[in-house]
Amino acid sequence: MQLTKREFTKGLVVAAGLASLNAGRATAAELGAAEVRAIAKEAYIYGFPIIDNYRIQYAYFVDAKDPEYKGPWNQLVNIPRVYTPADTAIQTPNSDTPYSMLGLDLRAEPIVLTVPPIEKDRYFSIQLIDAYTFNFDYIGSRATGNGGGSFLIVGPNWKGEAPKGIAKVIRSETELVLAIYRTQLFNPEDLENVKKIQSAYRAEPLSKFIAQPAPTAAAAIDFITPLTASDEKTSLESFNILNFVLQFCPTDPSETELMQRFAKIGIGAGKTFDPTKISPETRDALQQGIADAWADLEALKKRFDSGEVTSGDMFGTREYLKNNYLYRMTAAVLGIYGNSKQEAIYPAYAIDSEGKHLDGANRYTIHFAADKLPPVNAFWSLTMYEMPQSLLVANPINRYLLNSPMLSQFVRDADGGLTFYVQNESPGTDKEPNWLPAPKGPFVVAMRLYWPKPEALDATWTKPAMVKAT
């Protein structure tokens, strides 16, 4: 195939623009605009979850002035509170499980997480998320039981042996890790019990756990300023942030060729990607690659909205996802840090049985047959959110959710089943125990199934419809 003079010249300009990015990789001169665009798309899909995770962890553990700041790395922070409609900073807040947060820096030595014995009917979990946003392991009711114990979280380069008293060694692919603790709250009056459990959670360096001198501290990280959530969607600076984070992510063998391909456009651990030193033609090709990534995401989102792909397909380990980077990106966009499906799934009510969006101008019912309650080993809940804010709804009885710990309070139907009334005004005193108050306008109801049983995972069980009352 012969190139036109214009195409040939454009290719040379693109290659010249890339030369400054590649630090002598020798492949840059061979690239044309189409290849730059294709690699940029692939790299952006691969990198977006890493970039967005960095933005969040910078706020949580680096920038003490940020309102989302939790504390320094390797220091466990408990958040022993119940969310109410007054909380507006976080969308779709979870009022079932108060959180504890921990950012782990594993460069100098492993960290030991110790959990106390917890009563058998109280669910808890510690979700371990690496810098790729893989849920690489869990500690908790499902994964390790409620008997308590100490768990050694080690980085990718650690070669020591676990001391006595360690129940399990858990290895991370990356040197920076996020641990999200969830401790079940039975009702608002139970909060003091949750606080006692949270106060017994411990996170300490291995040297402290075994009462030995600490190793040489790792060098302080010169964290770069992240992009805003909005700028991440278009800025070429995203690739420089990706390069920065990849320093803490040794290349997985399955990605060796991928990293070699990314290097052609200046992407790799510790490289400097400077968008100001790129030719306009190269910049256009890179921007087009980013736009192509978002187009692929929108196509997948349609499959997600139709139910062809579920949240359970998009969260999990590297092995589970089989390096499906578009799934990983979509998971980060739709709900970063979502649980793996073995731990929790999230069927949602956004439309009624007639396919119409839910609105508080109408009255609805959800009927569960006696033998068709959500199948869980832990608990389930239904939480009301006003749209488009995705926040809890103020109401006269201060009830924001219905859940399985409340089963003894519900009024059963004659057949032993349960009918819930989802509406703005009280359904009447006799039905009020089963009332989930709605706003006057649009809303969604989020269902959460913690530690779901097999029939919830294989779709043997499906949620009943939200039916508009006549």
Side-chain angles (χ1 to χ4, degrees):
M1 180 181 72
Q2 289 188 330
L3 295 176
T4 66
K5 181 178 180 181
R6 180 182 178 187
E7 290 170 332
F8 180 74
T9 302
K10 184 175 181 180
L12 288 179
V13 173
V14 170
L18 284 165
S20 65
L21 300 178
N22 291 325
R25 292 293 297 186
T27 54
E30 303 170 5
L31 297 185
E35 188 173 2
V36 172
R37 179 174 178 173
I39 295 174
K41 169 187 169 181
E42 192 175 13
Y44 186 83
I45 289 173
Y46 174 90
F48 179 85
I50 300 170
I51 297 160
D52 198 46
N53 174 65
Y54 178 74
R55 174 184 65 82
I56 295 167
Q57 293 196 16
Y58 186 91
Y60 281 5
F61 309 120
V62 179
D63 184 2
K65 296 180 180 178
D66 194 287
E68 293 293 328
Y69 183 71
K70 311 301 180 191
W73 294 94
N74 297 333
Q75 181 173 309
L76 180 63
V77 177
N78 296 315
I79 309 170
R81 57 191 302 271
V82 180
Y83 287 98
T84 73
D87 294 290
T88 60
I90 300 174
Q91 292 184 313
T92 60
N94 173 359
S95 289
D96 294 302
T97 57
Y99 290 104
S100 303
M101 294 285 187
L102 172 66
L104 294 94
D105 179 350
L106 302 173
R107 293 175 301 145
E109 61 175 316
I111 302 295
V112 180
L113 306 186
T114 299
V115 299
I118 296 173
E119 64 265 45
K120 65 179 182 179
D121 61 343
R122 187 187 299 274
Y123 168 86
F124 86 102
S125 69
I126 305 175
Q127 178 186 4
L128 297 167
I129 308 161
D130 66 21
Y132 296 113
T133 68
F134 290 124
N135 296 333
F136 65 92
D137 214 333
Y138 279 86
I139 300 164
S141 301
R142 176 192 63 85
T144 57
N146 280 31
S150 296
F151 302 85
L152 189 66
I153 316 301
V154 307
N157 301 313
W158 187 73
K159 295 179 173 61
E161 293 186 6
K164 291 182 180 180
I166 295 295
K168 182 181 179 181
V169 177
I170 300 175
R171 185 175 296 274
S172 167
E173 283 189 41
T174 64
E175 294 174 322
L176 300 179
V177 169
L178 173 64
I180 300 179
Y181 291 59
R182 295 175 175 89
T183 308
Q184 184 182 1
L185 177 73
F186 294 131
N187 52 57
E189 292 72 34
D190 183 46
L191 187 58
E192 290 304 314
N193 296 320
V194 169
K195 288 181 180 179
K196 290 177 183 177
I197 294 169
Q198 288 182 325
S199 67
Y201 292 139
R202 291 206 319 273
E204 56 192 337
L206 176 60
S207 56
K208 183 177 179 181
F209 181 80
I210 60 176
Q212 294 293 322
T216 302
I221 299 173
D222 185 12
F223 289 99
I224 62 176
T225 304
L227 293 170
T228 65
S230 176
D231 287 345
E232 285 176 348
K233 295 180 178 180
T234 57
S235 175
L236 294 182
E237 183 65 26
S238 296
F239 293 129
N240 195 46
I241 291 174
L242 175 60
N243 287 352
F244 176 81
V245 181
L246 287 176
Q247 297 178 84
F248 310 105
C249 309
T251 299
D252 185 82
S254 69
E255 296 180 345
T256 300
E257 292 184 8
L258 191 71
M259 289 299 120
Q260 291 172 349
R261 189 156 62 253
F262 290 172
K264 293 180 180 181
I265 62 169
I267 292 174
K271 293 179 180 292
T272 299
F273 188 101
D274 188 348
T276 66
K277 297 180 180 179
I278 305 173
S279 70
E281 290 79 8
T282 301
R283 175 182 291 273
D284 287 347
L286 293 167
Q287 298 273 198
Q288 288 166 355
I290 292 176
D292 292 342
W294 285 107
D296 277 16
L297 182 139
E298 285 303 314
L300 178 58
K301 188 174 180 297
K302 290 179 181 178
R303 296 172 59 203
F304 178 84
D305 291 342
S306 72
E308 180 185 347
V309 177
T310 69
S311 61
D313 296 324
M314 297 190 293
F315 293 99
T317 62
R318 177 187 291 278
E319 293 73 23
Y320 175 74
L321 288 173
K322 297 180 174 61
N323 284 358
N324 188 323
Y325 305 120
L326 184 59
Y327 274 17
R328 191 173 73 186
M329 177 185 176
T330 306
V333 171
L334 296 182
I336 195 167
Y337 309 145
N339 274 299
S340 302
K341 67 180 183 181
Q342 294 82 1
E343 199 68 37
I345 59 174
Y346 310 96
Y349 289 101
I351 57 175
D352 63 20
S353 58
E354 299 174 357
K356 296 180 180 179
H357 289 285
L358 304 178
D359 194 288
N362 304 314
R363 295 177 292 115
Y364 304 91
T365 60
I366 306 173
H367 175 73
F368 292 90
D371 60 347
K372 294 295 184 181
L373 289 174
V376 292
N377 293 293
F379 71 98
W380 54 264
S381 68
L382 292 163
T383 307
M384 172 65 66
Y385 298 107
E386 185 172 12
M387 298 300 287
Q389 302 94 327
S390 295
L391 298 175
L392 298 172
V393 177
N395 61 83
I397 59 174
N398 296 322
R399 180 184 295 159
Y400 315 120
L401 56 80
L402 303 173
N403 61 25
S404 51
M406 299 166 64
L407 277 172
S408 63
Q409 303 171 32
F410 299 142
V411 177
R412 294 273 183 170
D413 299 331
D415 63 359
L418 282 173
T419 298
F420 294 128
Y421 303 92
V422 183
Q423 56 191 67
N424 177 249
E425 296 183 351
S426 171
T429 305
D430 58 330
K431 297 176 180 177
E432 221 167 70
N434 296 20
W435 178 32
L436 181 59
K440 292 183 178 180
F443 67 88
V444 298
V445 175
M447 181 184 288
R448 294 178 169 93
L449 278 65
Y450 284 91
W451 191 357
K453 290 183 176 179
E455 54 266 39
L457 297 175
D458 64 15
T460 303
W461 175 89
T462 57
K463 72 180 191 294
M466 178 89 69
V467 179
K468 181 181 174 182
T470 57

